[in-house]
């Protein structure tokens, strides 16, 4: 099997009997290795002692007084955030269960970076054995912000962080840097001819995706949605890209990003999209549940429409948790 996404931390976990990922000491230690947690030279003795004790016993409980004793206010805030997140992970039966608990509950205080890292890890587990680079590159949209560009009729998505790093305006993410990855010197559009190169650069995130004119890219994203929903909600669905939205009996939709939600709400209200909004629409999908009994009766066997659109600043941030909280599962049929 070809390896991919080492930076997800998949190798630091273990799959449990249910197919989810158990939270291991090694995974917690990876979070503790983040640069904002490693005590700098000027750190106080209390901060150094706290860090040393947690690297020796990453699951140990930390008293509030230990955090209050830290001299630096930023350090106190960083430790409060990471320990609250760690405790949410440790309190769940799996990484997947922790993610479901977070997105179904209160996300206040949970950095989006941490959510993205969980999705990265969950998709690495769910897509284990996948041999299609178009599916894997499309899956990056779920945990990596993208820069959207429109070029000669094509809609191209490139990793926003890689673009920013190449432009000299941002560093690589701490997790990627921690695992020794380097920014690539080239950015190629994924095609059938160069797809074989994805495996050697999957952690560099340096292949752009042609979502507009390459049907393999849209089909790849549809497959990612199917796998994500099946893995987390235990619900089999069929997702198909659409050329246009033409349905006089539109029952339900989910915006896959903030702009997709805004456009979907406008359509739901019967508004006509102006040319600019139409141009920002990237792709629409139809999602149908294999078992209508899992769906709210008002929707039943009717399709759920999924909308993805580019914001005006062209930095696309897909919100995969919208699928988890937004799909019309029947009461009492929530899985996970």
């Amino acid at each position: 099997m070809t390896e991919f996404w080492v930076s997800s931390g998949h190798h630091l976990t273990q799959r449990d009997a249910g197919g989810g990922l158990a939270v291991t000491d090694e995974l917690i230690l990876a979070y503790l290795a983040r640069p904002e947690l490693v005590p700098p030279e000027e750190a106080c003795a209390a901060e150094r002692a706290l860090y040393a004790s947690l690297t020796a016993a990453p699951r140990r409980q930390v008293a509030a007084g230990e955090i209050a004793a830290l001299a630096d206010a930023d350090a106190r805030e960083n430790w409060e955030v990471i320990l609250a997140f760690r405790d949410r992970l440790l309190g769940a039966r799996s990484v997947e269960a922790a993610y479901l608990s977070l997105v179904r509950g209160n996300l206040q205080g949970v950095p989006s970076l941490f959510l993205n890292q969980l999705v990265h890890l969950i998709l690495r587990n769910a897509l284990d054995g996948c041999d299609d680079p178009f599916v894997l590159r499309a899956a990056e949209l779920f945990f990596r912000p993208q820069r959207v560009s429109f070029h000669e009729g094509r809609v191209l998505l490139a990793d926003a962080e890689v673009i920013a790093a190449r432009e000299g305006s941002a560093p690589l993410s701490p997790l990627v840097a921690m695992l020794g990855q380097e920014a690539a010197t080239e950015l190629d559009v994924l095609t059938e001819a160069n797809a074989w190169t994805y495996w050697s650069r999957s952690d560099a995130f340096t292949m752009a995706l042609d979502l507009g004119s390459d049907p393999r890219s849209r089909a790849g994203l549809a497959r990612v949605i199917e796998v994500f929903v099946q893995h987390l909600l235990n619900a089999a669905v069929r997702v198909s890209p659409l050329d246009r939205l033409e349905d006089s009996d539109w029952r339900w939709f989910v915006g896959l990003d903030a702009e997709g939600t805004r456009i979907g709400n406008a359509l739901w209200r019967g508004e006509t999209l102006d040319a600019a909004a139409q141009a920002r629409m990237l792709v629409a999908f139809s999602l149908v549940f294999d078992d209508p009994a899992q769906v709210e009766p008002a929707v039943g066997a009717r399709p759920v429409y999924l909308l993805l659109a580019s914001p005006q600043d062209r930095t696309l941030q897909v919100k995969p948790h919208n699928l988890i909280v937004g799909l019309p599962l029947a009461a009492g049929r929530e899985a996970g």
Side-chain angles (χ1 to χ4, degrees), residues 285-303:
F285 296 99
S286 166
L287 179 151
V288 178
F289 286 82
D290 282 0
D291 181 5
Q294 291 186 294
V295 189
E296 285 284 352
V299 178
R302 296 290 302 163

Side-chain angles (χ1 to χ4, degrees), residues 28-29 31-40 43-44 46-55 58 60 62-64 66-68 70-87 114:
I28 300 300
L29 286 169
Y31 280 100
L32 294 178
R34 293 185 59 83
E36 61 266 32
L37 293 178
V38 177
C44 66
E47 184 177 352
R48 292 181 180 279
L50 174 63
Y51 188 79
S53 67
L54 282 168
T55 53
R60 86 165 182 86
V62 177
E66 295 181 75
I67 304 300
L70 304 183
D72 184 77
D74 289 338
R76 291 196 297 272
E77 181 179 1
N78 289 339
W79 279 107
E80 286 171 351
V81 169
I82 189 62
L83 288 173
F85 180 71
R86 180 205 66 167
D87 290 345
F114 287 2

Side-chain angles (χ1 to χ4, degrees), residues 47-273:
E47 184 177 352
R48 292 181 180 279
L50 174 63
Y51 188 79
S53 67
L54 282 168
T55 53
R59 296 172 184 261
R60 86 165 182 86
Q61 292 299 307
V62 177
E66 295 181 75
I67 304 300
L70 304 183
D72 184 77
D74 289 338
R76 291 196 297 272
E77 181 179 1
N78 289 339
W79 279 107
E80 286 171 351
V81 169
I82 189 62
L83 288 173
F85 180 71
R86 180 205 66 167
D87 290 345
R88 295 289 291 272
L89 289 178
L90 293 177
R93 66 178 183 274
S94 66
V95 170
E96 286 84 352
Y99 176 76
L100 288 172
S101 174
L102 286 167
V103 301
R104 287 172 172 167
N106 184 3
L107 286 174
Q108 185 175 359
V110 181
S112 59
L113 174 64
F114 287 2
L115 282 181
N116 288 342
Q117 289 174 353
L118 287 183
V119 172
H120 191 184
L121 185 53
I122 289 167
L123 279 174
R124 176 59 184 82
N125 183 32
L127 291 168
D128 193 42
C130 177
D131 60 0
D132 187 341
F134 286 91
V135 172
L136 298 180
R137 177 57 184 89
E140 293 177 21
L141 274 62
F142 275 40
F143 55 88
R144 302 278 302 186
Q146 304 290 307
R147 185 83 62 86
V148 183
S149 63
F150 301 91
H151 180 68
E152 297 180 350
R154 297 195 297 176
V155 179
L156 301 179
L157 304 182
D159 191 272
E161 189 173 87
V162 169
I163 293 294
R166 285 165 57 87
E167 293 173 348
S169 60
L172 289 174
S173 70
L175 183 60
V176 173
M178 179 185 78
L179 292 170
Q181 307 301 327
E182 297 180 353
T185 57
E186 296 182 1
L187 252 159
D188 298 320
V189 178
L190 179 64
T191 65
E192 186 175 0
N194 66 16
W196 64 274
T197 69
Y198 181 85
W199 306 107
S200 63
R201 56 203 289 191
S202 71
D203 284 294
F205 306 109
T206 55
M207 300 199 85
L209 188 71
D210 181 359
L211 194 64
S213 60
D214 192 333
R216 291 165 299 186
S217 298
R218 296 192 296 277
L221 184 53
R223 178 58 182 155
V224 173
I225 295 168
E226 291 173 348
V227 169
F228 191 72
V229 171
Q230 172 74 60
H231 188 72
L232 285 173
L233 300 180
N234 193 28
V237 297
R238 288 171 286 116
V239 178
S240 304
L242 301 174
D243 292 329
R244 59 183 63 86
L245 278 174
E246 293 180 348
D247 190 343
S248 59
D249 187 17
W250 196 14
R251 303 287 181 89
W252 203 278
F253 83 94
V254 175
L256 296 179
D257 72 308
E259 186 65 14
T261 300
R262 191 193 69 77
I263 289 177
N265 285 333
L267 292 171
W268 187 266
R269 294 190 296 265
E271 299 175 10
T272 300
L273 299 182

